[in-house]
Amino acid sequence: MIDEKMLSELYPFWAQLTPPHKAELSANTVLRTFKPGDIVHGGGQECTGVLGVISGRLRTFMLSDEGKEITLFRLVEGDNCMLSASCMLKNISFDVHVSAETPTQLAIISPVIYDKIAKTSPRVEQFMNDIISMRFSEVMWIVEQVLFMKMDKRLALFLLEQSALDQSDTIALTHEQIAGHLGTAREVVTRILKYLSGEGYITVSRKGIAIVDRKGLLKMTE
Amino acid sequence: MIDEKMLSELYPFWAQLTPPHKAELSANTVLRTFKPGDIVHGGGQECTGVLGVISGRLRTFMLSDEGKEITLFRLVEGDNCMLSASCMLKNISFDVHVSAETPTQLAIISPVIYDKIAKTSPRVEQFMNDIISMRFSEVMWIVEQVLFMKMDKRLALFLLEQSALDQSDTIALTHEQIAGHLGTAREVVTRILKYLSGEGYITVSRKGIAIVDRKGLLKMTE
């Protein structure tokens, strides 16, 4: 059951809402849990709703018709996703995919209700626009990486970010999965990982990729 | 001198502004003309302002430290650019470059004044957010192309779009310029153009690239 404390922590505008709006928003928010790998929002025409991460981690990514992917951004506890409610977003004509990376609990607000309240409350509208601008900036950073950064550098950066996200020196991802995050081919990832382990920055094993020389890896990303 | 008619045509919210706001906005809008190739907004920390295209055409692009570029979107008569006023945009942490592609006349609104009026007028704020969402969608379309579309297809698409923009069958751009639009190397453009002319879709000459088989070129983009 959704309680107001959860919503007040997810939505800075909560305190400014009128009691009827609070009641309506709570009544139209569902709590859902997802297992690692579960699809939260499948893209296409659907309009899942406004996602608020109570716990766990989401991955937002693009998927081509040929099944090629790239990670756009991750969402962790306290983050919100509006792109999964594109039906309520004027001029947002693209769609993204969202999946759970860890056991994840979400508060999902009905896009119809969020939109209705936003139309009467500038703060709710503003929050939505702030989130969209933030995602725009995150996507632009990905564009910069894809266009201007060599893949070996991007992979080194990814390993460091992933290790920070997982709070572990070992990245338990397959070469295939890493390729999906970076929007490249598995062969490319395998080749670069071989180079990085040759340089002594990482070791590659069945369990995954272990960072053994963080300084060296960090230097590569400069 | 800027007249209210220009602003009312550029800004759908104009009719809803209070007389003092109309006066303040007009007083803080400058009219400027640019020659083809002129830099309108140079990126970096500067905050040029809100650009409204009265006539001509602008190119918005990303530029890497190494000088590699890619075109994000074009702006034609009646279009607006807010990203050149990023100082007033919360959460927009990237910057773009804007240059004139043809003789261009712009109405440039002071970002401080636009921001001030937006804070008191939801419609002005909404317009800004609608424009940002539109650009976000345009950039996502570029991301899709870069990640998922083969360069020969992208180049064919670019030639058709450019021909439509210029309302001419001849694209008077160098291979270098085309590479800058597509975020690739000149050699790649030259190689694909050779292929396209070999297929009889285009002819390449000093004057530029002439589309001779539009149907064939269009079929390539499918």
Side-chain angles (χ1 to χ4, degrees):
Chain A
M1 179 52 201
I2 192 86
D3 62 53
E4 295 213 349
K5 191 169 164 304
M6 278 177 189
L7 291 171
S8 66
E9 283 165 358
L10 282 169
Y11 299 99
F13 56 70
W14 186 261
Q16 277 78 34
L17 290 178
T18 63
H21 277 166
K22 283 182 182 173
E24 192 173 17
L25 208 61
S26 309
N28 290 280
T29 301
V30 294
L31 218 57
R32 284 188 59 191
T33 57
F34 296 87
K35 296 184 306 302
D38 284 352
I39 297 298
V40 174
H41 175 69
Q45 287 318 302
E46 69 190 282
C47 197
T48 307
V50 176
L51 310 178
V53 182
I54 294 165
S55 66
R57 189 169 82 218
L58 297 177
R59 171 189 176 223
T60 306
F61 60 103
M62 279 174 89
L63 185 65
S64 77
D65 304 339
E66 292 75 28
K68 200 180 167 195
E69 350 183 312
I70 187 167
T71 299
L72 297 173
F73 49 83
R74 260 75 171 266
L75 298 164
V76 297
E77 187 176 333
D79 285 341
N80 293 280
C81 184
M82 301 280 174
L83 297 180
S84 50
S86 51
C87 54
M88 72 178 194
L89 303 173
K90 192 179 166 200
N91 292 348
I92 295 286
S93 57
F94 59 92
D95 212 334
V96 296
H97 295 249
V98 182
S99 65
E101 289 195 306
T102 63
T104 300
Q105 187 173 42
L106 300 179
I108 305 179
I109 303 177
S110 148
V112 179
I113 300 306
Y114 189 99
D115 189 42
K116 187 186 141 206
I117 294 176
K119 281 193 167 43
T120 67
S121 162
R123 297 192 74 113
V124 177
E125 169 110 37
Q126 189 51 58
F127 179 73
M128 179 174 71
N129 293 318
D130 291 347
I131 296 291
I132 289 166
S133 294
M134 195 187 300
R135 302 309 168 216
F136 193 0
S137 296
E138 288 171 311
V139 166
M140 287 299 278
W141 163 231
I142 295 296
V143 177
E144 260 188 82
Q145 281 192 34
V146 169
L147 288 169
F148 304 142
M149 207 187 272
K150 290 207 168 41
M151 188 51 77
D152 56 353
K153 206 167 158 175
R154 285 181 61 203
L155 183 46
L157 196 60
F158 173 79
L159 293 175
L160 290 166
E161 288 171 348
Q162 190 64 35
S163 143
L165 271 172
D166 296 341
Q167 295 168 305
S168 159
D169 285 337
T170 304
I171 291 105
L173 293 172
T174 66
H175 299 189
E176 190 72 49
Q177 287 171 314
I178 294 173
H181 280 295
L182 297 175
T184 184
R186 185 187 51 70
E187 298 68 23
V188 176
V189 171
T190 303
R191 197 189 67 239
I192 297 171
L193 287 175
K194 196 164 288 167
Y195 162 76
L196 294 177
S197 60
E199 293 293 303
Y201 301 143
I202 60 169
T203 58
V204 181
S205 74
R206 273 249 182 62
K207 287 197 301 307
I209 297 139
I211 298 176
V212 290
D213 178 2
R214 194 170 286 272
K215 274 216 187 70
L217 208 54
L218 197 61
K219 211 164 177 324
M220 265 203 63
T221 67
E222 284 162 9
Chain B
M1 181 49 200
I2 191 85
D3 62 53
E4 296 212 350
K5 191 169 163 304
M6 277 177 191
L7 291 171
S8 66
E9 282 164 359
L10 282 169
Y11 299 99
F13 56 70
W14 185 260
Q16 277 79 33
L17 289 178
T18 62
H21 277 166
K22 283 183 181 173
E24 192 173 18
L25 208 60
S26 308
N28 290 280
T29 302
V30 294
L31 218 58
R32 286 188 59 191
T33 57
F34 296 87
K35 296 186 306 302
D38 284 353
I39 296 299
V40 175
H41 174 68
Q45 287 319 301
E46 70 191 282
C47 196
T48 307
V50 176
L51 310 177
V53 182
I54 294 164
S55 66
R57 189 169 81 219
L58 297 177
R59 169 188 177 225
T60 305
F61 60 103
M62 279 174 89
L63 185 65
S64 77
D65 304 340
E66 292 75 30
K68 199 179 167 194
E69 349 183 314
I70 186 168
T71 298
L72 296 173
F73 48 83
R74 260 71 172 268
L75 299 163
V76 297
E77 187 176 333
D79 285 340
N80 292 281
C81 184
M82 302 280 174
L83 298 180
S84 50
S86 51
C87 55
M88 73 178 193
L89 302 173
K90 191 177 167 202
N91 292 349
I92 294 284
S93 57
F94 59 93
D95 211 336
V96 296
H97 295 249
V98 181
S99 64
E101 290 195 307
T102 63
T104 301
Q105 186 174 42
L106 300 179
I108 305 179
I109 304 175
S110 149
V112 179
I113 300 305
Y114 189 99
D115 189 42
K116 186 186 142 207
I117 293 176
K119 281 193 169 45
T120 68
S121 162
R123 298 192 73 116
V124 177
E125 169 109 37
Q126 189 51 57
F127 179 73
M128 178 173 73
N129 294 317
D130 291 346
I131 296 290
I132 289 166
S133 294
M134 194 188 301
R135 301 309 169 218
F136 192 179
S137 296
E138 288 171 312
V139 165
M140 287 299 278
W141 162 231
I142 296 296
V143 177
E144 260 188 84
Q145 279 191 35
V146 168
L147 288 168
F148 305 141
M149 208 187 270
K150 290 206 167 42
M151 187 52 77
D152 56 352
K153 205 167 158 175
R154 285 181 59 203
L155 182 45
L157 196 59
F158 174 79
L159 293 175
L160 290 166
E161 287 172 348
Q162 191 63 36
S163 142
L165 271 172
D166 296 341
Q167 296 168 307
S168 157
D169 285 336
T170 304
I171 291 105
L173 294 172
T174 65
H175 299 192
E176 188 73 45
Q177 287 170 314
I178 295 173
H181 280 294
L182 297 174
T184 185
R186 186 186 50 69
E187 297 70 20
V188 176
V189 170
T190 302
R191 196 188 67 237
I192 298 172
L193 287 176
K194 195 165 290 168
Y195 162 76
L196 293 177
S197 60
E199 294 292 303
Y201 301 144
I202 61 169
T203 58
V204 181
S205 74
R206 270 248 185 62
K207 287 198 300 308
I209 297 139
I211 299 176
V212 291
D213 178 2
R214 194 168 286 271
K215 274 216 189 69
L217 208 53
L218 198 60
K219 212 165 175 324
M220 265 203 63
T221 67
E222 286 163 7

